[in-house]
Amino acid sequence: MDRVLITGASRGIGRELVEQFAALGWEVYAALRTPMGTPFPPGVVPLELDLKDPASPARMSKALKGKPLDLLWNNAGLYGLGASRIGEIDPQEWQEVLTVNSLGPLLVTQALLPNLKLGQKKWVVATSSTMGSIGENTSGGSYAYRASKAALNSTVKSLAQDLGPSGFTCVAFCPGWVKTDMGGTSAPLEAKTSVAGLIQQCLSLTRRDNGRFLNWQGREIPW
Ligand SMILES: NC(=O)c1ccc[n+]([C@@H]2O[C@H](COP(=O)([O-])OP(=O)(O)OC[C@H]3O[C@@H](n4cnc5c(N)ncnc54)[C@H](OP(=O)(O)O)[C@@H]3O)[C@@H](O)[C@H]2O)c1
């Protein structure tokens, strides 16, 4: 049976990833800050993970010692409203966004590398954002969020270089503008639709996709 670990599983896109992978028959590990009391479909295994704490990924990985993982989906993220407009940048909030969105996925990947090496597929994907594309930044602002996703993209690219020769495929995905707490109610896409597209793209990954930045419909996004 294929196994996936998804971060940011409490709500939004992460929650939907958990439900759709579980419905496809995957064994799902749902990483979230508050595993107690969050209901999941039967069989889903909740694990505690707080990306504000750099020790948390290694702590979480202890529960998975020796278990193969096919796919790691680094999805958790936050926007950082207080570090989005020039003239109003709160340095602490900027650092928090970078810690959760950029350092977090790197530390989770590092902690789960032994599990991924034991897995068949060796896929490491991240929910990034077109907002992290320097080439497509035509509207400015969102300082912390854009910087954090650009740093995440750079991390995915380095992982692709470092791990590709050992059979890994590392990819950054943009889910589109999605109706979630982060995306807001004006977003055109339902989480169900975006996640169905993301999973379709993910399941069709080949080694040739290593190091790519794609949207939920498979369109290439400039770095
Ligand atoms: N929605 C969009 O339009 C859109 C567009 C492009 C990219 N994205 C990306 O998609 C991903 C999911 O976003 P979403 O729209 O589903 O947002 P969301 O509904 O706000 O969910 C964010 C998720 O990240 C988790 N998270 C936040 N801080 C965390 C921390 N310190 N440790 C562990 N988990 C933490 C949240 O957990 P808690 O419940 O514990 O806070 C929640 O599960 C993010 O990476 C986001 O940047 C979203």
Side-chain angles (χ1 to χ4, degrees):
M1 186 189 275
D2 291 319
R3 294 194 179 103
V4 57
L5 186 141
I6 298 157
T7 72
S10 60
R11 54 196 166 95
I13 292 166
R15 169 99 211 176
E16 191 60 38
L17 282 166
V18 167
E19 289 187 4
Q20 292 195 26
F21 271 111
L24 287 171
W26 282 53
E27 190 171 312
V28 180
Y29 293 86
L32 68 170
R33 287 197 279 194
T34 49
M36 297 296 281
T38 307
F40 283 114
V44 171
V45 181
L47 294 169
E48 187 171 341
L49 177 71
D50 186 347
L51 295 176
K52 278 186 197 163
D53 172 5
S56 181
R59 216 164 31 233
M60 176 188 72
S61 73
K62 287 192 183 138
L64 295 169
K65 202 159 185 277
K67 205 168 262 292
L69 269 185
D70 293 279
L71 167 62
L72 165 61
W73 200 303
N74 281 302
N75 166 78
L78 77 163
Y79 179 73
L81 200 56
S84 63
R85 287 183 214 94
I86 188 68
E88 300 172 14
I89 301 298
D90 174 343
Q92 204 178 324
E93 192 160 343
W94 191 97
Q95 279 171 354
E96 202 170 284
V97 173
L98 269 282
T99 299
V100 171
N101 292 7
S102 321
L103 177 61
L106 176 59
L107 294 179
V108 172
T109 308
Q110 179 171 266
L112 296 177
L113 211 45
N115 306 86
L116 290 157
K117 283 182 179 163
L118 292 174
Q120 292 292 312
K121 293 189 162 51
K122 298 181 171 56
W123 288 341
V124 178
V125 311
T127 313
S128 183
S129 169
T130 305
M131 299 273 280
S133 164
I134 294 171
E136 285 204 0
N137 182 352
T138 53
S139 54
S142 302
Y143 285 88
Y145 189 71
R146 284 190 189 279
S148 73
K149 293 298 189 182
L152 172 65
N153 288 349
S154 171
T155 296
V156 169
K157 199 73 187 180
S158 280
L159 288 171
Q161 298 298 329
D162 291 344
L163 303 177
S166 323
F168 278 72
T169 304
C170 307
V171 171
F173 279 128
C174 174
W177 182 18
V178 187
K179 236 178 234 128
T180 60
D181 292 338
M182 186 188 292
T185 51
S186 311
L189 267 177
E190 295 295 336
K192 251 184 192 11
T193 314
S194 163
V195 166
L198 287 170
I199 291 179
Q200 195 186 337
Q201 296 310 317
C202 179
L203 295 182
S204 58
L205 287 176
T206 70
R207 296 279 302 278
R208 279 200 302 276
D209 295 311
N210 189 34
R212 294 181 78 193
F213 183 16
L214 303 168
N215 83 351
W216 65 287
Q217 293 172 305
R219 178 181 75 87
E220 190 103 40
I221 306 169
W223 296 107

